[in-house]
Amino acid sequence: MPADHRAHRPEGAGAVRGVVRGAASGAHDPALRHVLTHLLTPLLMCVGMGLAYLGAFAAPEPHQLPVAVVGSGPEAKVFAQTVKDNAGDALDVRTLATRTDAVDQLRTRHLDGAYVLGDKPPELIVASAGSDTTVSAVEKIFTPVAAQQGEPLKVTDVAPPVGDDPTGQGLFFLLVALSIGSYASVAVLGGVGGALRMRTRALLVAAVSGVVALVGTAFAGPVFHLAHTNLWGLWGMAWVYSAGILLIGVGLHTFLKRWTTLAMMVLFVMLNFTSSGGIFRPELQNGFFGGLHTFWNGAGFVEGARSLLYFDHYGLGRYVWTLVAWLAVGAVVLAVAALAERRKRPSLTAAAAPPVEEEEAAEEEEEEEETVGV
């Protein structure tokens, strides 16, 4: 046995040395280094998506949720103060004299719920088209309050979504479709289309964004019936939204090349979907995503669509201007990229051009493969 053991030791040691040499040679293999470098993008996407989605959606809690107690006299004020004391910073409680005042403020989106005193049973007025999850939070707060009065809670919805979209979240998934169609097109227009003049790429941006918007509007209208009216208005907002993403992406591609996909994911998925208000409005999110909601383009589209379809266009101008501002930013980014390309082009010698073009073509193909929809 000892002799056999000694006989096999050199063979085992040789195998170990072979593995070590193979690993060492692999570390210097250009193809392996190339693969490992490109694996960095999906790993960063994984980390970014986890931080963004879990940070935005994992633990929704109300923060200064605007509600009203409807009633007159000292009783209403005392009741409202009691609710406020019990809720703390979760609620922003005010009193209103009449039920009509409460309905008006719900339809102009100044309130998320109104509790009417004096009715038997007590009534909670909501507008679920603004956010189904917010309505659920308001009901969760006031159902125990009604139970303490020995009455079941009657819920009245003054602005419900259409029957084909009972949760009202169809607009969020429409946003997802528009966003993916837009940022995925950047890999083509910015990468494969990089040989085209910037003016030609800009025209293609206008055409592609119009088509993406048309497809999205078809989904919202005749296909899934999320919107029964104002389809042309919805298409216009979708076009401006998509064009803004494409302009920014095509402009950034001049500088970021294959890293453009990651940048677009951060801007228009990780930060965009999470702050859009399509699942949770800012009153149920932390301050970071709630702050983004005030000016991010996804929020402008979702809230603008809600205003257009359910709230008599109230506040629509503000949301449209948000989309226009992002479009203007995209135009500036594209103009800067065009200037940079114009300055760079004369510096390329004829001899150096073919290898550069081959390298860029390889990067463009890899970028298209890396482009993913979430």
Side-chain angles (χ1 to χ4, degrees), residues 162 171 217 219-222 224-231 234 309-310:
V162 295
L171 293 176
T217 305
F219 285 149
F224 293 106
H225 309 290
L226 306 178
H228 294 179
T229 60
N230 295 299
L231 287 179
L234 189 65
L309 299 176
Y310 299 123

Side-chain angles (χ1 to χ4, degrees), residues 72-86:
S72 58
E75 179 188 359
K77 293 183 179 179
V78 170
F79 185 86
Q81 187 60 50
T82 301
V83 171
K84 172 64 177 172
D85 292 342
N86 290 335

Side-chain angles (χ1 to χ4, degrees), residues 52-53 56-57 172 175 266-267 269-282 285-300 302-303 306 326:
Y53 274 62
F57 298 146
F172 170 76
L175 172 77
V266 172
L267 289 173
V269 175
M270 299 176 192
L271 299 180
N272 191 26
F273 296 169
T274 51
S275 65
S276 68
I279 302 298
F280 296 116
R281 277 185 49 78
Q285 294 185 295
N286 60 47
F288 176 73
F289 292 102
L292 292 181
H293 183 84
T294 61
F295 64 91
W296 218 256
N297 61 342
V302 170
E303 300 297 357
R306 285 170 173 164
W326 279 82

Side-chain angles (χ1 to χ4, degrees), residues 33-362:
R33 283 203 309 273
H34 188 69
V35 170
L36 293 177
T37 301
H38 281 75
L39 280 174
L40 184 61
T41 298
L43 290 176
L44 289 174
M45 287 180 180
C46 176
V47 173
M49 292 294 289
L51 290 174
Y53 274 62
L54 294 176
F57 298 146
E61 291 290 340
H63 305 283
Q64 296 296 310
L65 195 68
V67 298
V69 172
V70 180
S72 58
E75 179 188 359
K77 293 183 179 179
V78 170
F79 185 86
Q81 187 60 50
T82 301
V83 171
K84 172 64 177 172
D85 292 342
N86 290 335
D89 292 335
L91 298 181
D92 174 16
V93 186
R94 62 201 74 174
T95 57
L96 295 173
T98 67
R99 186 181 186 278
T100 301
D101 292 338
V103 171
D104 288 343
Q105 292 207 20
L106 281 161
R107 285 178 173 162
T108 54
R109 310 189 71 184
H110 291 103
L111 287 178
D112 288 325
Y115 187 84
V116 183
L117 290 176
D119 287 350
K120 298 292 184 177
E123 182 184 21
L124 177 65
I125 312 172
V126 296
S128 63
S131 173
D132 182 69
T133 53
T134 298
V135 169
S136 297
V138 173
E139 289 183 15
K140 185 177 180 181
I141 291 169
F142 282 103
T143 297
V145 174
Q148 290 176 0
Q149 297 177 307
E151 298 285 348
L153 183 64
K154 173 187 174 184
V155 179
T156 302
D157 194 346
V158 297
V162 295
D164 297 291
D165 183 22
T167 66
Q169 293 180 3
L171 293 176
F172 170 76
F173 294 106
L174 174 61
L175 172 77
V176 172
L178 292 172
S179 303
I180 291 174
S182 301
Y183 81 73
S185 299
V186 168
V188 179
L189 295 181
V192 179
L196 300 173
R197 296 180 62 184
M198 189 62 81
R199 183 179 302 175
T200 304
R201 277 176 274 172
L203 292 175
L204 286 172
V205 164
V208 170
S209 58
V211 173
V212 168
L214 191 63
V215 171
T217 305
F219 285 149
V223 179
F224 293 106
H225 309 290
L226 306 178
H228 294 179
T229 60
N230 295 299
L231 287 179
W232 283 113
L234 189 65
W235 173 74
M237 287 198 302
W239 193 352
V240 176
Y241 171 77
S242 176
I245 293 176
L246 278 162
L247 287 173
I248 291 172
V250 172
L252 287 179
H253 194 279
T254 298
F255 307 103
L256 301 182
K257 301 301 182 185
R258 72 179 184 84
W259 296 105
T260 306
T261 296
L262 180 60
M264 297 300 286
M265 288 283 290
V266 172
L267 289 173
F268 302 115
V269 175
M270 299 176 192
L271 299 180
N272 191 26
F273 296 169
T274 51
S275 65
S276 68
I279 302 298
F280 296 116
R281 277 185 49 78
E283 293 84 1
L284 296 180
Q285 294 185 295
N286 60 47
F288 176 73
F289 292 102
L292 292 181
H293 183 84
T294 61
F295 64 91
W296 218 256
N297 61 342
F301 177 78
V302 170
E303 300 297 357
R306 285 170 173 164
S307 175
L308 179 71
L309 299 176
Y310 299 123
F311 293 98
D312 298 323
H313 300 186
Y314 182 83
L316 179 60
R318 171 192 166 192
Y319 302 124
V320 169
W321 278 112
T322 298
L323 297 177
V324 170
W326 279 82
L327 184 71
V329 170
V332 170
V333 173
L334 195 73
V336 172
L339 182 61
E341 288 185 3
R342 195 175 299 119
R343 290 179 175 177
K344 180 181 177 182
R345 193 172 293 117
S347 66
L348 295 177
T349 63
V356 170
E357 289 175 0
E358 290 177 6
E359 182 180 347
E360 289 182 350

